[in-house]
């Protein structure tokens, strides 16, 4: 634990230095986010938060940890994903090209490392659902889903970073409670600390006065990293957690992505088409400020992750945890379509009084 914490602090230090170097040259790199019909911030904002976090983690890892391992392959694939994300931030790559790169890197990581999902666990109460030869392909699909889930929630200041921190801290707790997960704990804490300088700048916490954004490079890297850690945590043998617990740890990004894709499909739109119908957008439409939306969404994410951790520690049957999550998702989907309208009405009435 002490070694992992030391490497994490080093990652945070390197990330801070990287941020200070990247920010002044963001314009030269064309890594600036300018307002448009979907983005309502003021002025051009540097898109280097994710890059600084990745550089901080990578530098600390290369100094302290071995590269000739499955985690070394992860960092190599993550580096390519971050490069692709940075190019997308600068030049707006097509959704099909981004998806193709994600599939390729997910396949390289899965087959190259030999690590993949082998079971869904006893989520139906009828015995463990084994994936067999489908395991690697399900893992690739999970990598793509998580990568895009965290990318989609990156819509207001602090949200992608906060939800990432909830997932990473939850995983760190699970890894610390089990033996044999030193590398995974180091990676989780490394990313956690590496995100701190970005979070401070994004929320304009002193000494940072001007904000930066994470960028697609950062949000995709975070999703890629979180799902890799989740897969490692659910390997057969000495597991850090059961597969169903992963659903609760990344509940908000996962449910938001699935719900919005379902809504787009119902409208006959491309599921990859960007819009302003995400959870944070609905909070804003309901009259909440971006900071209020951030606090409420993060609090709910903490609650869900806490439920998952408690279910793991107390050995709540997997089928019960899964049924609870399915019911939660059904309520979530209904709420996004109905409750926010009620909130608008109530706030208008309160405003009149």
């Amino acid at each position: 634990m002490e070694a992992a914490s030391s490497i994490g602090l080093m990652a945070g230090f390197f990330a801070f230095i990287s941020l200070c170097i990247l920010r002044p040259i963001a314009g030269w790199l064309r890594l600036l986010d300018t307002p448009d019909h979907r983005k309502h911030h003021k002025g051009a904002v540097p898109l280097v938060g994710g890059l600084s976090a990745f550089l901080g983690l990578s530098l600390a890892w290369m100094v302290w940890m071995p590269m000739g391992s499955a985690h070394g392959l992860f960092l190599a694939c993550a580096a390519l994903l971050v490069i692709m994300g940075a190019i997308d931030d600068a030049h707006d790559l097509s959704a099909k090209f981004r998806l193709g790169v994600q599939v390729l890197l997910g396949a390289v990581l899965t087959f190259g490392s030999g690590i993949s999902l082998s079971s869904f666990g006893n989520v139906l109460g009828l015995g463990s659902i084994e994936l067999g030869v489908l395991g690697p392909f399900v893992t690739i699909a999970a990598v793509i889903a998580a990568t895009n889930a965290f990318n989609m929630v990156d819509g207001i200041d602090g949200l992608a970073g906060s939800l990432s921190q909830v997932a990473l801290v939850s995983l760190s707790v699970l890894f610390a409670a089990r033996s044999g997960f030193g590398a995974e704990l180091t990676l989780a804490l490394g990313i956690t600390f590496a995100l701190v300088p970005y979070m401070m700048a994004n929320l304009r916490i002193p000494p940072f006065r001007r904000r930066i954004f994470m960028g697609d490079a950062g949000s995709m890297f975070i999703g890629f990293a979180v799902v890799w850690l989740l897969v490692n945590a659910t390997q057969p043998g000495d597991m850090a957690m059961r597969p169903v617990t992963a659903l609760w740890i990344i509940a908000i990004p996962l449910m938001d992505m699935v719900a919005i894709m379902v809504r787009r499909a119902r409208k006959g739109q491309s599921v990859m088409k960007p819009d302003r119908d995400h959870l944070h957008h609905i909070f804003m439409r309901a009259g909440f400020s971006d900071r209020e939306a951030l606090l409420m969404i993060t609090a709910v994410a903490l609650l869900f992750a806490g439920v998952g951790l408690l279910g793991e520690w107390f050995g709540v049957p997997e089928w019960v945890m899964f049924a609870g999550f399915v019911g939660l998702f059904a309520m979530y989907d209904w709420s996004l379509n109905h409750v926010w309208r009620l909130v608008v009405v109530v706030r208008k009435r309160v405003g009149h009084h």
Side-chain angles (χ1 to χ4, degrees):
M1 182 67 180
E2 291 183 6
S5 298
S6 298
I7 296 173
L9 290 171
M10 186 65 70
F13 172 75
F14 285 144
F16 176 80
I17 298 300
S18 299
L19 188 60
C20 293
I21 294 173
L22 289 170
R23 185 170 187 168
I25 63 173
W28 179 73
L29 296 172
R30 297 186 63 180
L31 294 176
L32 294 174
D33 195 8
T34 54
D36 59 21
H37 66 286
R38 291 192 303 109
K39 305 170 184 177
H40 299 162
H41 59 270
K42 296 180 180 180
V45 180
L47 293 165
V48 296
L51 277 173
S52 67
F54 175 75
L55 288 173
L57 170 71
S58 300
L59 290 170
W61 189 275
M62 287 188 290
V63 170
W64 293 99
M65 298 294 288
M67 290 296 293
S69 64
H71 296 298
L73 178 61
F74 159 75
L75 281 178
C77 290
L80 294 174
L81 183 67
V82 167
I83 291 170
M84 188 270 289
I87 295 173
D88 182 43
D89 286 328
H91 300 287
D92 288 327
L93 300 174
S94 71
K96 289 183 178 179
F97 180 81
R98 295 198 307 269
L99 181 61
V101 172
Q102 291 168 12
V103 171
L104 177 61
L105 293 176
V108 169
L109 180 59
T110 301
F111 289 105
S113 67
I115 298 174
S116 63
L117 292 168
S118 60
S119 169
F120 284 146
N122 186 20
V123 293
L124 299 180
L126 303 173
S128 180
I129 301 176
E130 302 298 327
L131 297 175
V133 295
L134 295 178
F137 301 100
V138 173
T139 303
I140 294 170
V143 168
I144 297 167
T147 299
N148 287 286
F150 280 90
N151 181 245
M152 286 181 174
V153 297
D154 186 21
I156 59 174
D157 288 347
L159 185 57
S162 296
L163 296 181
S164 302
Q165 297 285 40
V166 169
L168 290 165
V169 171
S170 299
L171 282 164
S172 297
V173 170
L174 289 166
F175 290 140
R178 306 283 196 275
S179 60
F181 288 95
E184 287 78 12
L185 175 60
T186 300
L187 188 57
L189 286 178
I191 302 172
T192 300
F193 282 101
L195 283 171
V196 171
Y198 152 72
M199 289 288 292
M200 293 179 65
N202 187 232
L203 296 173
R204 284 169 286 187
I205 297 173
F208 297 100
R209 295 183 178 180
R210 296 181 180 178
R211 64 179 172 176
I212 63 166
F213 288 162
M214 180 177 285
D216 285 346
S219 56
M220 287 192 290
F221 163 61
I222 293 302
F224 195 72
V226 168
V227 74
W228 169 249
L229 290 168
L230 290 172
V231 171
N232 276 266
T234 57
Q235 289 301 292
D238 187 21
M239 295 192 301
M241 67 179 190
R242 301 168 299 178
V244 70
T245 305
L247 298 176
W248 291 90
I249 289 177
I250 59 169
I252 291 294
L254 181 62
M255 291 193 297
D256 186 57
M257 179 191 69
V258 174
I260 202 163
M261 284 186 168
V262 169
R263 289 200 299 275
R264 289 172 183 171
R266 288 172 181 167
K267 296 176 182 177
Q269 300 173 343
S270 168
V271 295
M272 300 301 291
K273 178 184 178 181
D275 55 32
R276 293 183 59 81
D277 290 328
H278 291 281
L279 177 63
H280 49 275
H281 292 134
I282 292 173
F283 268 98
M284 305 286 283
R285 249 184 291 169
F288 295 99
S289 68
D290 56 350
R291 197 58 58 93
E292 290 172 337
L294 170 65
L295 292 174
M296 286 187 287
I297 295 172
T298 302
V300 173
L302 281 168
L303 175 63
F304 292 164
V307 170
L309 293 179
L310 290 173
E312 187 69 34
W313 287 332
F314 288 103
V316 177
E318 292 170 90
W319 69 269
V320 173
M321 297 296 293
F322 183 67
F325 184 82
V326 171
L328 180 69
F329 175 75
M331 292 175 57
Y332 178 91
D333 187 50
W334 183 89
S335 298
L336 289 188
N337 289 298
H338 299 85
V339 172
W340 74 270
R341 296 186 179 92
L342 177 62
V343 173
V344 171
V345 172
V346 171
R347 289 178 71 90
K348 286 182 177 179
R349 289 180 177 178
V350 172
H352 288 315
H353 291 293

